[in-house]
Amino acid sequence: MKRLKVATVSETGEAKRLGIEREDVLDTLNGIALESIDVLIQGLKSRGEQACQLVAYRQGRRLCVEVSSDSLGVTLSPYDTEQNQEEWVLMRRVHELVLTTAPSIDGYRVSKTLDIVTAECVLGMNMFRDMLTAVTDVIGGPSGTSQNALRELRQRCIHDLRIEAAQLQADGIIGVALNYS
């Protein structure tokens, strides 16, 4: 199987606006596998006034963006999923994993326990964030800065859990616990 890998991104192109980066692997456009540049061009040109759903992968993270232009403003190279099979399988598998804090998942049974998966994420609040948080503590109310930082940290930990489980070829993770201190 072939896909497309982003070699460069124009600073003024649609891809830059959408957050597409160098080294991203473009997977599908409106559900059609992007096996060649011609398939991408044809899909973008035939979209009419409708936006297209582009699915890409970046370091194990799945990206879904709406493309509303006939051109992305990128240069692309072929990406052979068979030559990069381990990386490709891991990228795709990460997003098929089921995660839950519950001890079981309805409709599923544990057929094999593989290992314990863990993720440790540390957040260093910088001096300016600390000052903004201190002001919020004095006047009251939630600190959006701290909440956003903790949300980002939680998402990173969950992603790290998914990668570790995918490397074990797991189908899911049960009993997820997130601890903050």
Side-chain angles (χ1 to χ4, degrees):
M1 275 191 337
K2 302 276 189 213
R3 292 296 186 268
L4 302 171
K5 190 169 199 172
V6 177
T8 62
V9 179
S10 166
E11 288 297 317
T12 58
E14 174 85 348
K16 181 75 171 179
R17 185 186 69 75
L18 295 171
I20 301 294
E21 296 178 3
R22 188 175 173 276
E23 300 294 316
D24 286 354
V25 177
L26 306 184
D27 184 27
T28 62
L29 185 70
N30 285 344
I32 298 170
L34 295 174
E35 295 180 345
S36 71
I37 293 172
D38 292 336
V39 172
L40 175 63
I41 292 169
Q42 182 181 355
L44 290 173
K45 290 192 183 286
S46 66
R47 68 176 181 77
E49 296 299 314
Q50 299 285 332
C52 295
Q53 175 87 17
L54 175 66
V55 176
Y57 290 92
R58 176 185 307 141
Q59 298 174 348
R61 293 181 193 262
R62 184 172 192 247
L63 312 167
C64 295
V65 294
E66 294 285 323
V67 180
S68 56
S69 174
D70 291 346
S71 172
L72 289 176
V74 294
T75 55
L76 301 165
S77 61
Y79 178 83
D80 190 332
T81 60
E82 290 169 9
Q83 281 185 339
N84 300 290
Q85 186 173 10
E86 190 174 316
E87 177 185 58
W88 180 246
V89 168
L90 181 63
M91 276 195 289
R92 305 254 331 203
R93 187 173 190 79
V94 163
H95 299 283
E96 296 168 359
L97 284 167
V98 178
L99 266 75
T100 183
T101 57
S104 63
I105 302 170
D106 289 342
Y108 292 87
R109 67 177 181 78
V110 175
S111 61
K112 183 178 181 184
T113 301
L114 300 174
D115 203 351
I116 296 171
V117 292
T118 63
E120 297 80 23
C121 297
V122 177
L123 173 66
M125 297 285 275
N126 67 33
M127 183 177 72
F128 297 108
R129 269 196 214 167
D130 288 345
M131 285 190 287
L132 287 171
T133 301
V135 169
T136 303
D137 288 345
V138 171
I139 61 173
S143 169
T145 304
S146 293
Q147 287 176 329
N148 289 339
L150 288 171
R151 184 176 299 113
E152 240 177 74
L153 193 63
R154 176 181 47 83
Q155 289 169 345
R156 189 174 351 140
C157 281
I158 289 171
H159 179 70
D160 290 353
L161 283 173
R162 286 179 177 276
I163 287 177
E164 190 171 335
Q167 289 170 334
L168 293 170
Q169 298 184 357
D171 296 319
I173 307 171
I174 57 175
V176 173
L178 299 172
N179 297 305
Y180 300 87
S181 60

